[in-house]
Amino acid sequence: MVGDDWIGACLAMATAVMPTGRFRPNANRKQRSARGCEEFRTHARTDPFPPLTDATKHLIGERTLGLMKREALVINTGRGPLVDEAALAKALNEGRIGGAGLDVLSVEPPKEGNPLIGAKNCLITPHIAWASRESRARLIEITAANLQAFLNGEPVNVVNP
């Protein structure tokens, strides 16, 4: 598990993946590189969830894909540009990793010629992995509760009070 936001934590719990390290863009580059290399070598699933910055663009690329186990799965429901699509398609088509499940791409909708379209063992969803009936119902419940709390003078989840 790469990243430290709540989506990554929820995915870890839902899929019984135990996050063993977190991506910290401000960490010493050498420390981050060593920790990241070990993560890619030892885990069967890679789920990138850090924010998209210059430091995280193509975090999953030729080098990191080369460190992964042959049965590794790359799952990206975070941000499309975290994954180098050409490098991932090449690794998939050459059988160097087991598969990919992607809910995000670098450009949405995908442009003609995207190398992941038709890549072996690659499943792409239309950026709606969160949109189950249960998720939408919960979203409505939370929105209604937040609105009621605001009307009662007790706002919750306040940003910039």
Side-chain angles (χ1 to χ4, degrees):
M1 181 74 58
V2 180
D4 60 2
D5 67 2
W6 67 272
I7 297 173
C10 292
L11 182 66
M13 288 185 285
T15 61
V17 174
M18 186 59 80
T20 58
R22 294 178 177 213
F23 183 84
R24 303 223 188 270
N26 296 326
N28 173 300
R29 185 179 187 97
K30 190 179 235 181
Q31 292 171 329
R32 189 172 68 230
S33 177
R35 185 172 49 247
C37 288
E38 186 58 28
E39 292 292 313
F40 289 114
R41 280 191 190 105
T42 59
H43 293 88
R45 283 181 269 195
T46 300
D47 313 309
F49 287 101
L52 180 61
T53 66
D54 288 341
T56 61
K57 184 176 181 182
H58 292 176
L59 176 65
I60 307 299
E62 193 68 42
R63 181 171 179 268
T64 48
L65 289 163
L67 295 171
M68 293 180 188
K69 295 178 176 183
R70 194 172 198 84
E71 67 271 13
L73 301 176
V74 172
I75 301 167
N76 189 5
T77 59
R79 286 127 193 111
L82 296 173
V83 175
D84 179 339
E85 293 173 348
L88 178 57
K90 182 178 178 188
L92 288 165
N93 290 329
E94 292 174 356
R96 290 188 285 127
I97 65 168
L102 310 169
D103 190 49
V104 291
L105 295 171
S106 60
V107 175
E108 295 174 359
K111 292 186 177 182
E112 188 174 331
N114 182 305
L116 292 169
I117 305 298
K120 292 180 183 176
N121 298 323
C122 184
L123 175 66
I124 302 172
T125 59
H127 203 157
I128 57 167
W130 70 275
S132 68
R133 182 177 303 239
E134 294 83 5
S135 293
R136 292 187 313 244
R138 182 77 176 127
L139 179 65
I140 291 169
E141 290 171 15
I142 291 170
T143 301
N146 285 347
L147 182 56
Q148 188 61 56
F150 177 79
L151 293 173
N152 292 340
E154 301 170 357
V156 295
N157 302 324
V158 177
V159 178
N160 296 330

